[in-house]
Amino acid sequence: MSINEVPYKIYLTEEEMPKAWYNLRSAMKTKPAPLLNPGTGQPMKAEELAPVFCEELIKQELDNDTEYFPIPDEILSFYKMYRPSPLVRAYFLEQALGTPAKIYYKFEGNNTSGSHKLNSAVAQAYYAKKQGLKGVTTETGAGQWGTALSMACSFFGLDCKVYMVKVSYEQKPFRREVMRTYGADVTPSPSMNTAIGRKILEMHPGTTGSLGCAISEAVEVATSTPGYRYVLGSVLNQVLLHQSIIGLETEAALKKYNITPDIIIGCAGGGSNLGGLIAPFMRDKLQGKSDVRIIAVEPASCPSLTRGVYAYDFCDTGMVCPLAKMYTLGSNYIPAPNHAGGLRYHGMSSILSELYDEGYMEAVSAVQTDVFKAAEQFARVEGILPAPESSHAIKVAIDEALKCKETGEAKTIVFGLTGTGYFDLVAYQNFHDGVMTDYIPTDEEIAASVSTLPAVK
Ligand SMILES: *Cc1c(COP(=O)(O)O)cnc(C)c1O
């Protein structure tokens, strides 16, 4: 297809920008299962969540019915610093693949945090400030969420304490320095600062940490420090709500050129970028107006959708958080240390889990050497150095485009390019040096990990 059938980058004007977030739950017949109190087994009430989360965010978390949440002006203004993000027609990738498919990607890496996470970070920091809090605590894995949150907190004048998964803290010292530039206090997890950190270190000396463990530490600090609450960068309903900005912009950009996607692809860690990207498209699918295929891509080393079980589980290793019903590998699951590609969370958004369970969404897994091959191929033709997480989506977009080459179908493929990979160069180095390995857990390992799920009727 000739260059400039549509612009290489499709932008929206300020007027065309979405002014409200879309709540996908409002379109679901079967709502995602509620969070449960681990003590009573009953759905968590707002007042039980209040010591942990900000009030306004709890309302968003528990609201399955409101369709649109107006975006407060302060957040709309902040969004203007880096949004709209471009929807890019991947002409050069199409050419390189020799495919009749039309490939588009929504690029969320155009901000200093380098990922889509800023979309929710700014919302969460705003509501914390509005509530009069002093600060927030959080965990970060690869560091994108911590960076995004520290940017948002410095903008609103909030203190920010970040518990960073130890393996990333050590492998990504530059991330840490970006967070410190924005004023955040960064601690490697597990740490000796918290009771749960000390316990985990005693049980697993030398552990490289996990997101689940860092979450437990951040929650402990939030609930034991006056004026602090905990915020989370993925998994929760509220985060998918904020990330709907990605999908709404994508929908508006496609509509400008009368483009209807056949396949939408996104990488899935906790599910926030994918849940956000697909929100309006899944709504149409749920309402019978569209038969778009939606594909979640996860790492073969942390395959919650493709090999996990759909059950209530703890959101964190320390088992201090509410129970969520989700596709999970068990809250003790820790991906092999050679896993460099992010997307390390043991569970998956309850919204996406329910949609996947009902068959509205597909899921595939990819091994990391294939993911980095796709990343390199993409970087060389489209110019952007992709994050390893995003490259899971690239890998499957390329696979689907190559299938179109075989069948001669000119399908329209849209994928989420969630971020850039400048802080992942140790992983790129391992890939280039040929020392990157793939690790696929055995059925026994997964069975052992899911055997620790809490008993919930
Ligand atoms: C955090 C992150 C992801 C995965 O998180 P989700 O909540 O599943 O979206 C994907 N890509 C990048 C660049 C990230 O920073």
Side-chain angles (χ1 to χ4, degrees):
M1 192 53 70
S2 71
I3 296 267
N4 291 343
E5 176 187 59
V6 302
Y8 179 68
K9 287 183 182 173
I10 308 177
Y11 279 108
L12 302 175
T13 62
E14 278 187 18
E15 288 70 49
E16 291 168 330
M17 285 284 295
K19 305 289 187 294
W21 293 301
Y22 175 63
N23 183 8
L24 178 56
R25 284 165 286 168
S26 65
M28 293 170 69
K29 275 198 209 76
T30 308
K31 305 296 180 191
L35 294 171
L36 298 186
N37 179 318
T40 65
Q42 294 302 305
M44 288 293 283
K45 299 195 199 78
E47 57 269 29
E48 295 172 299
L49 292 167
V52 183
F53 297 115
C54 305
E55 284 157 18
E56 204 69 32
L57 294 166
I58 294 171
K59 281 190 207 150
Q60 295 178 352
E61 189 63 31
L62 299 178
D63 189 333
N64 286 336
D65 304 306
T66 303
E67 275 190 277
Y68 286 94
F69 285 83
I71 304 173
D73 284 343
E74 291 86 341
I75 300 175
L76 282 177
S77 300
F78 188 95
Y79 278 168
K80 282 180 191 168
M81 283 198 274
Y82 69 101
R83 308 202 68 81
S85 71
L87 181 71
V88 184
R89 173 73 182 269
Y91 284 112
F92 302 116
L93 179 63
E94 290 170 18
Q95 270 174 2
L97 297 173
T99 176
K102 297 159 194 238
I103 309 174
Y104 294 84
Y105 57 91
K106 179 71 169 163
F107 180 47
E108 290 292 321
N110 259 338
N111 68 77
T112 295
S113 79
S115 81
H116 64 286
K117 298 224 169 57
L118 194 54
N119 301 334
S120 183
V122 60
Q124 298 196 44
Y126 167 79
Y127 290 118
K129 185 67 182 180
K130 203 173 152 217
Q131 193 177 324
L133 297 176
K134 249 171 79 186
V136 291
T137 71
T138 199
E139 80 297 333
T140 196
Q144 289 96 323
W145 168 245
T147 310
L149 187 69
S150 47
M151 288 174 71
C153 284
S154 76
F155 187 80
F156 288 113
L158 279 171
D159 185 34
C160 180
K161 296 186 195 302
V162 180
Y163 283 80
M164 184 169 186
V165 177
K166 191 179 274 170
V167 61
S168 303
Y169 184 90
E170 285 161 4
Q171 284 180 359
K172 302 182 179 179
F174 298 140
R175 276 267 177 224
R176 186 174 77 211
E177 292 316 312
V178 181
M179 288 186 253
R180 290 175 64 198
T181 300
Y182 286 95
D185 173 30
V186 190
T187 308
S189 166
S191 75
M192 297 298 281
N193 289 5
T194 63
I196 189 69
R198 291 188 290 273
K199 186 170 146 204
I200 289 169
L201 283 171
E202 197 180 305
M203 281 163 56
H204 308 280
T207 176
T208 52
S210 70
L211 266 186
C213 161
I215 294 174
S216 305
E217 291 206 87
V219 171
E220 185 182 320
V221 173
T223 51
S224 59
T225 316
Y228 281 75
R229 292 293 185 281
Y230 165 71
V231 294
L232 181 60
S234 183
V235 186
L236 295 175
N237 298 338
Q238 56 187 275
V239 184
L240 271 74
L241 175 71
H242 307 146
Q243 294 297 356
S244 69
I245 188 82
I246 304 174
L248 294 166
E249 281 184 13
T250 303
E251 184 191 38
L254 290 173
K255 276 200 177 140
K256 264 177 115 156
Y257 291 89
N258 287 319
I259 302 159
T260 310
D262 297 301
I263 308 175
I264 301 177
I265 301 166
C267 63
S272 74
N273 87 82
L274 180 63
L277 173 66
I278 67 175
F281 304 99
M282 183 61 90
R283 171 199 59 211
D284 291 352
K285 190 165 175 160
L286 289 167
Q287 294 174 347
K289 295 177 198 157
S290 150
D291 57 0
V292 62
R293 280 178 66 201
I294 292 171
I295 310 176
V297 191
E298 56 186 14
S301 59
C302 195
S304 49
L305 286 170
T306 52
R307 295 177 68 197
V309 295
Y310 189 33
Y312 268 103
D313 193 9
F314 288 96
C315 295
D316 62 320
T317 315
M319 306 180 181
V320 297
C321 291
L323 302 173
K325 189 177 179 192
M326 56 187 176
Y327 275 85
T328 178
L329 295 164
S331 62
N332 284 315
Y333 185 81
I334 296 183
N338 74 345
H339 171 64
L343 311 174
R344 309 171 65 91
Y345 189 61
H346 66 272
M348 183 58 59
S349 143
S350 293
I351 296 174
L352 294 188
S353 292
E354 180 58 32
L355 291 168
Y356 176 63
D357 200 57
E358 290 181 41
Y360 286 106
M361 198 175 95
E362 305 164 37
V364 294
S365 70
V367 297
Q368 65 179 355
T369 49
D370 287 346
V371 167
F372 276 82
K373 236 177 261 164
E376 192 177 77
Q377 189 176 8
F378 179 84
R380 288 180 183 181
V381 291
E382 288 289 326
I384 295 169
L385 180 74
E389 292 89 342
S390 324
S391 304
H392 287 75
I394 298 175
K395 156 79 180 124
V396 173
I398 291 176
D399 287 350
E400 290 296 329
L402 291 176
K403 281 183 207 162
C404 288
K405 186 176 178 175
E406 273 170 35
T407 61
E409 289 169 289
K411 286 188 181 160
T412 297
I413 300 170
V414 175
F415 73 89
L417 187 71
T418 50
T420 48
Y422 300 111
F423 292 101
D424 301 288
L425 292 170
V426 173
Y428 272 96
Q429 180 184 11
N430 289 338
F431 174 68
H432 295 140
D433 290 348
V435 297
M436 176 174 276
T437 51
D438 292 319
Y439 184 79
I440 302 177
T442 62
D443 289 342
E444 289 70 31
E445 282 170 88
I446 291 178
S449 180
V450 296
S451 72
T452 62
L453 291 185
V456 176
K457 280 125 258 145

